[in-house]
Amino acid sequence: MNFDLVIKNGTVVTAVATYQADIGINGEQIAAIGQGLHGRRELDAADKLVIPGGIDPHVHLQYQLPNFRSADDFFSGTRAAALGGTTTVIDFVEPQAAQTMLDGLAARNAEAAGQTVIDYSFHMTIGPHEIEKLDQVAAAYAAGCASFKLYMAYGMRLTDDQLLRALQAIRDVNGLPVVHAENWDVICALVAQNLAAGRTEPGWHPHSRPSLLEAEAASRLIDIATYVGTRVHIFHISCAEVVERLADAQRRGLPVTGETCPHYLLLNCGVFERPLPQAARYICSPPLRSHDDQLHLWRALGQDVVNIVTTDHCPFTQAEKEQNLHDYSQIPGGLPGIEARLSLLYSYGVRDGYFSLNRWVEMSSTRVAQLFGLRQKGHIAPGYDADLVIFDPQKRIVLSTETLHEQVDWTPYEGVPVTGWPTTTLCRGQVVVEDGKFVGEAGYGRFISRSF
Ligand code: URP
Ligand code: ZN
Ligand code: ZN
């Protein structure tokens, strides 16, 4: 049989196996895996790894805050993602107060459709004004938003009674709650104390968002979710204390999962010793923690306690980060990172011995697909979407704004060397990156409806 496209001679790496094979693709899907396959087009992957396309279920593209908007739009952000080997992203819908959840979804989809170069989906946010709209949760689920974002921090935060009601509504449709867990009341008090005492520099940011209180929020969330009888996924875990609470919940058999992000693995609060204005760039929440926390997170990934790695990509320019140097609490929070996730995890996770090649694939694709209801993605098997990456394990790159393609004028990984980088990325059978060059097109990406 002659396939539309064959990836030949590669080392196929899945979440459970590593083997030599060709992959035959017809149309948008994987048609066969075997030896000596031929196609109208053939891509040689000798000496390369062939892995399922990365799935990044936590990104903020053209994310509107009251005074700022994240710097990557749906085109530039998904192009950078594709160049880094990611083929699906999940962003967020935040309905306006007067909007239904479905109208919010339609408005957000109108921003993304026609722009994205890889597939995308959305979490539905349940903020305080959605508590009066919980009867719409079933419609949001039916429209493909199978996961629901809840904040325990920021102006969007839910009080515990609201959290309870939101978790009940999500449970009733078999959805997945995904939660930013921090203790907002304590954060507000500590920020006020710091500012009143003249402690206004960015280095005070981690001190006003203590690890112990991130863990307290995670524990409270786990307890309320357990009482309600729902699973729950904890976003952007930054510290050992949360890892311990998560491990404890998992030991008790509770359906609790968690993610961390490359910046919590690769960076620590030592960055706040850099002079102003550079120190201001590293503000994100939860904050960067200690070297010891980094080690705990790497080990927890190896043990599958922290289950997946997402980027929480939320870039702001240097100028935006530097606008409020007199008050760290007003600096827009978030770091760039959508492009280098796979490579950083390979370089500093697999090569440094924290986990295997197969676990790398699992935490960046296969498990993500399973957790978030992406039924056609995350596997290399006939019938699944041909979302595939040819990854050169020997390719060396020094990360910088010159080598990365994120639409922002700085990177927290400036000067960081990596070994291993994607050369070719396919999304649903279409080559969108070839030999490290973007060859895709805006609007190819499709909204993916998710369900469990
Ligand atoms: O500081 C961060 N993480 N900004 C992005 C929004 C969020 O909390 O995930
Ligand atoms: Zn968050
Ligand atoms: Zn986020």
Side-chain angles (χ1 to χ4, degrees):
M1 180 173 177
N2 220 13
F3 297 96
D4 291 342
L5 194 153
V6 172
I7 300 177
K8 292 190 69 68
N9 310 317
T11 301
V12 176
V13 183
T14 73
V16 293
T18 306
Y19 53 92
Q20 300 288 317
D22 301 340
I23 301 175
I25 296 163
N26 277 337
E28 298 188 345
Q29 291 178 346
I30 297 170
I33 300 169
Q35 308 296 329
L37 305 186
H38 291 287
R40 282 181 282 287
R41 182 174 179 194
E42 298 187 349
L43 298 173
D44 184 34
D47 303 322
K48 311 274 196 319
L49 309 177
V50 183
I51 58 176
I55 304 172
D56 188 348
H58 188 164
V59 303
H60 301 272
L61 302 175
Q62 49 191 82
Y63 176 44
Q64 192 65 55
L65 295 175
N67 300 317
F68 300 94
R69 185 170 124 139
S70 65
D72 261 316
D73 56 34
F74 278 103
F75 174 69
S76 65
T78 55
R79 180 186 54 186
L83 284 157
T86 290
T87 52
T88 306
V89 294
I90 310 182
D91 203 291
F92 299 85
V93 176
E94 286 187 5
Q96 304 290 313
Q99 225 173 18
T100 64
M101 291 187 191
L102 289 189
D103 286 346
L105 171 60
R108 190 68 170 146
N109 212 357
E111 293 175 353
Q115 295 302 313
T116 63
V117 308
I118 53 171
D119 287 346
Y120 65 97
S121 190
F122 295 115
H123 308 284
M124 178 60 66
T125 304
I126 299 181
H129 48 62
E130 275 64 54
I131 293 298
E132 303 314 315
K133 307 175 193 165
L134 291 177
D135 57 342
Q136 298 172 23
V137 163
Y141 183 97
C145 296
S147 45
F148 294 83
K149 172 78 182 282
L150 312 176
Y151 287 97
M152 296 169 78
Y154 307 133
M156 300 280 288
R157 75 92 175 243
L158 301 180
T159 52
D160 286 352
D161 55 319
Q162 293 171 329
L163 187 61
L164 174 92
R165 290 173 60 198
L167 290 173
Q168 288 169 330
I170 299 165
R171 173 205 61 198
D172 289 348
V173 299
N174 192 31
L176 174 71
V178 297
V179 186
H180 178 132
E182 286 187 287
N183 185 316
W184 186 235
D185 290 335
V186 169
I187 291 167
C188 290
L190 293 178
V191 169
Q193 285 174 2
N194 282 338
L195 296 181
R199 299 188 290 256
T200 58
E201 302 87 5
W204 288 97
H205 177 67
H207 296 289
S208 44
R209 302 181 93 107
S211 301
L212 191 58
L213 276 297
E214 185 186 336
E216 181 277 332
S219 274
R220 182 159 34 101
L221 169 68
I222 292 168
D223 286 345
I224 298 173
T226 302
Y227 170 74
V228 166
T230 177
R231 61 191 151 161
V232 68
H233 177 74
I234 304 175
F235 265 178
H236 44 39
I237 295 171
S238 71
C239 60
E241 286 85 345
V242 177
V243 170
E244 279 164 24
R245 314 279 172 118
L246 181 61
D248 179 60
Q250 291 169 351
R251 268 195 299 273
R252 289 186 282 140
L254 299 176
V256 184
T257 53
E259 67 181 39
T260 190
C261 312
H263 43 273
Y264 299 118
L265 295 162
L266 276 302
L267 304 169
N268 60 53
C269 59
V271 296
F272 292 115
E273 280 154 30
R274 296 184 191 178
L276 284 175
Q278 286 100 304
R281 295 179 200 159
Y282 296 91
I283 296 247
C284 64
S285 297
L288 300 175
R289 305 291 188 188
S290 68
H291 179 67
D292 197 45
D293 288 304
Q294 292 176 265
L295 294 178
H296 270 84
L297 289 168
W298 280 117
R299 289 190 200 117
L301 279 172
Q303 294 159 355
D304 196 15
V305 169
V306 174
N307 311 99
I308 62 169
V309 178
T310 74
T311 65
D312 194 12
H313 178 71
C314 191
F316 295 98
T317 64
Q318 293 183 51
E320 289 167 328
K321 285 283 195 182
E322 291 167 14
Q323 263 176 43
N324 291 297
L325 295 178
H326 59 286
D327 176 356
Y328 69 87
S329 72
Q330 298 303 313
I331 296 171
L335 302 180
I338 203 166
E339 191 168 349
R341 178 181 65 134
L342 283 179
S343 177
L344 285 167
L345 291 175
Y346 179 79
S347 279
Y348 296 99
V350 177
R351 288 176 61 90
D352 284 1
Y354 285 108
F355 41 76
S356 68
L357 271 178
N358 309 97
R359 175 75 184 115
W360 170 58
V361 165
E362 183 182 55
M363 71 177 65
S364 53
S365 179
T366 311
R367 191 75 189 282
V368 185
Q370 181 231 327
L371 266 179
F372 291 92
L374 288 158
R375 291 160 173 261
Q376 280 297 114
K377 305 212 177 269
H379 288 274
I380 300 184
Y384 281 89
D385 284 354
D387 294 349
L388 296 163
V389 170
I390 303 178
F391 188 90
D392 182 350
Q394 305 301 338
K395 192 170 169 73
R396 289 166 188 247
I397 290 188
V398 177
L399 301 180
S400 77
T401 47
E402 270 75 53
T403 52
L404 293 170
H405 304 81
E406 296 156 345
Q407 189 169 267
V408 59
D409 57 357
W410 74 285
T411 169
Y413 307 111
E414 187 68 42
V416 172
V418 288
T419 302
W421 192 261
T423 60
T424 300
T425 304
L426 281 75
C427 179
R428 276 182 290 103
Q430 186 76 28
V431 178
V432 294
V433 173
E434 189 168 7
D435 294 330
K437 301 272 179 303
F438 176 67
V439 296
E441 58 184 70
Y444 177 74
R446 187 180 289 164
F447 172 77
I448 305 295
S449 180
R450 296 178 291 118
S451 62
F452 298 106

